[in-house]
Amino acid sequence: MTSYPPVQPGGSLMIAWQVKGKNVLVVGGGEVAAGRILHALNADANVTVISPSPLNQEVAHRVSQGEVRHVNRKFNPDDLTGASEIIADGGEIDMVLTAIDDPKESVAIWHQCKELRIPVNVADVPEHCDFYFGSVYRDGPLQVMVSTNGNGPKMANLVKKRIQEALPEKTGAAINNVGLLRGQLRKIASTPEEGPKRMRWYAHPVHNYLSID
Amino acid sequence: MTSYPPVQPGGSLMIAWQVKGKNVLVVGGGEVAAGRILHALNADANVTVISPSPLNQEVAHRVSQGEVRHVNRKFNPDDLTGASEIIADGGEIDMVLTAIDDPKESVAIWHQCKELRIPVNVADVPEHCDFYFGSVYRDGPLQVMVSTNGNGPKMANLVKKRIQEALPEKTGAAINNVGLLRGQLRKIASTPEEGPKRMRWYAHPVHNYLSID
């Protein structure tokens, strides 16, 4: 009898969300907002932060560098519905990340996002989140996210550090090269029947690089 | 002058999506569908697979175990809008994962999902995906997802293997214990001022466990 991987309940659906060119609205301008903004920028989103000045220094720096658009006032519900200048260009808000100290307002934003079906993360209110963030290790095209499913960001950071130590330097560069190689091989050996041949060609250098046999 | 982490474009927004008790519809019943189903079950989703029999053996096994609901016919557009028996209980489809060999139908489902604002992954059609899957290492409450941002699942699997080898056994159990400890300490030392004390208390066993100083 064949056996199949057992279900291991209690986890999250770990996914790589695509926000390239999408409008991400960050509500709040403090330290948590700074982290959210960096996550979104690393994924090529158009980021707008809405918060009255003064902003956290990192956020202010990104605004001054033109990396992030800043709307210098408090959030109001019209901001999500097309009635405000935030989406004046005819676009729409594709994702909302709130990082404010006002639980009542946070919950109100959550409900509005749910009504509009906008994916939303409400910092510090886990029950009002479509998704959570984790600790992310990055090396070029490689991204590794560690989630402890609510058992503490400190643990996630420790695990991330272990992963960072364990992966060879330039793993990201190697992955880039494999990606290029795959593209080339796909042109040379493009039929499905040639797939296994392609796999053998590029598997060897990769195995050597990562010292796995 | 303070320096801030530089933006590293070209990545994804790595997130842990919450589907506990949510309705996830898998369109298709082959090998790719089997993988999607396991991801969703591991995150406590209510999974319905829609596909004419025969199903892939693993999918058929999960249906026979009652882990997954099976609608034994082809998908039709009404399935997403409340007119079909799939959401007869008054609920709604919270996420769609397609894994069929028909690119035209795949794209049609994508467009419908976008109109209805349902998050969707269309297997093998990266430009029609709100999100991608990666290679996931799991140890109890710990989940580690590896994404190469399109440079090949084989590389993601190799990196995952390295990570698996590098993390001490029972890391997941240790994270569980830390989570329990955090809960206890939160009750004992519950004011924000006592936060640093809590951190010191639980940081030591964790550091020892993971052999990091």
Side-chain angles (χ1 to χ4, degrees):
Chain A
M1 196 188 130
T2 322
S3 75
Y4 302 105
V7 175
Q8 297 183 72
S12 304
L13 194 74
M14 305 288 278
I15 56 181
W17 197 266
Q18 302 306 301
V19 287
K20 186 174 182 171
K22 303 274 181 183
N23 297 313
V24 173
L25 179 65
V26 176
V27 183
E31 191 184 339
V32 174
R36 300 299 193 242
I37 288 168
L38 185 58
H39 275 303
L41 290 175
N42 285 344
D44 303 336
N46 299 327
V47 184
T48 300
V49 57
I50 184 160
S51 174
S53 292
L55 300 171
N56 159 286
Q57 288 198 319
E58 182 177 333
V59 178
H61 170 78
R62 302 213 186 274
V63 170
S64 74
Q65 296 295 301
E67 294 172 344
V68 173
R69 205 166 145 252
H70 179 212
V71 177
N72 187 3
R73 61 166 172 76
K74 283 195 70 174
F75 171 86
N76 81 61
D78 284 347
D79 291 329
L80 296 184
T81 53
S84 98
E85 75 273 23
I86 288 186
I87 43 175
D89 64 349
E92 49 185 34
I93 305 287
D94 297 295
M95 176 175 275
V96 172
L97 311 173
T98 84
I100 52 178
D101 285 332
D102 182 336
K104 260 198 188 167
E105 192 183 355
S106 293
V107 172
I109 295 174
W110 156 262
H111 283 296
Q112 203 194 351
C113 286
K114 286 304 86 194
E115 213 168 288
L116 297 168
R117 304 189 72 102
I118 299 172
V120 56
N121 171 282
V122 178
D124 279 333
V125 191
E127 66 274 27
H128 289 149
C129 282
D130 288 318
F131 57 90
Y132 303 145
F133 289 94
S135 200
V136 178
Y137 170 67
R138 177 78 183 270
D139 179 6
L142 174 67
Q143 286 180 294
V144 180
M145 171 171 59
V146 178
S147 169
T148 64
N149 283 293
N151 286 282
K154 194 176 178 69
M155 290 302 294
N157 277 326
L158 286 173
V159 171
K160 181 183 86 167
K161 201 176 157 197
R162 276 299 284 261
I163 290 171
Q164 183 160 7
E165 288 162 356
L167 292 178
E169 264 183 70
K170 299 189 186 161
T171 299
I175 290 172
N176 245 337
N177 289 339
V178 169
L180 294 171
L181 192 53
R182 277 179 97 212
Q184 299 285 333
L185 291 176
R186 211 172 277 280
K187 281 181 208 157
I188 301 168
S190 58
T191 67
E193 292 71 29
E194 290 170 307
K197 196 158 69 177
R198 282 204 307 272
M199 293 296 271
R200 280 197 305 277
W201 282 345
Y202 80 77
H204 283 289
V206 172
H207 271 85
N208 293 342
Y209 192 87
L210 290 175
S211 313
I212 295 171
D213 293 289
Chain B
M1 197 188 129
T2 323
S3 75
Y4 301 105
V7 175
Q8 296 183 73
S12 303
L13 194 73
M14 304 288 279
I15 55 181
W17 196 268
Q18 302 306 301
V19 286
K20 186 174 183 172
K22 304 273 181 183
N23 297 313
V24 173
L25 179 66
V26 177
V27 183
E31 191 184 340
V32 174
R36 301 299 193 243
I37 288 168
L38 185 59
H39 275 303
L41 290 175
N42 285 345
D44 302 335
N46 298 328
V47 183
T48 299
V49 58
I50 184 161
S51 173
S53 291
L55 300 172
N56 159 287
Q57 289 198 321
E58 181 177 333
V59 177
H61 170 78
R62 300 213 186 275
V63 170
S64 73
Q65 296 296 301
E67 295 171 344
V68 172
R69 208 168 142 249
H70 179 212
V71 177
N72 187 3
R73 60 166 172 77
K74 283 195 69 173
F75 172 86
N76 80 62
D78 283 348
D79 291 329
L80 298 184
T81 53
S84 99
E85 75 274 23
I86 288 187
I87 44 176
D89 64 348
E92 50 184 34
I93 305 286
D94 297 295
M95 177 174 274
V96 173
L97 310 174
T98 84
I100 52 178
D101 284 332
D102 181 336
K104 259 197 189 168
E105 192 184 354
S106 294
V107 172
I109 296 174
W110 156 262
H111 283 297
Q112 203 194 352
C113 285
K114 286 304 85 192
E115 214 168 287
L116 297 167
R117 304 190 71 102
I118 299 172
V120 57
N121 171 282
V122 178
D124 279 333
V125 192
E127 66 274 27
H128 289 150
C129 282
D130 289 319
F131 56 91
Y132 303 146
F133 288 93
S135 200
V136 178
Y137 170 67
R138 176 79 183 270
D139 179 6
L142 175 67
Q143 286 180 295
V144 179
M145 170 173 57
V146 178
S147 169
T148 64
N149 282 293
N151 286 282
K154 194 173 179 71
M155 290 300 296
N157 277 326
L158 287 174
V159 170
K160 182 183 87 166
K161 201 176 156 198
R162 276 298 285 258
I163 290 171
Q164 183 160 6
E165 288 162 356
L167 292 178
E169 265 183 68
K170 298 189 186 163
T171 299
I175 289 172
N176 245 337
N177 289 339
V178 169
L180 295 171
L181 193 53
R182 277 180 96 212
Q184 299 285 333
L185 291 176
R186 212 172 277 279
K187 281 182 206 157
I188 301 167
S190 58
T191 67
E193 293 72 28
E194 289 170 307
K197 197 158 68 178
R198 283 203 307 271
M199 292 296 270
R200 279 196 305 276
W201 282 345
Y202 80 76
H204 284 289
V206 173
H207 272 82
N208 292 343
Y209 192 85
L210 289 175
S211 312
I212 295 172
D213 318 274

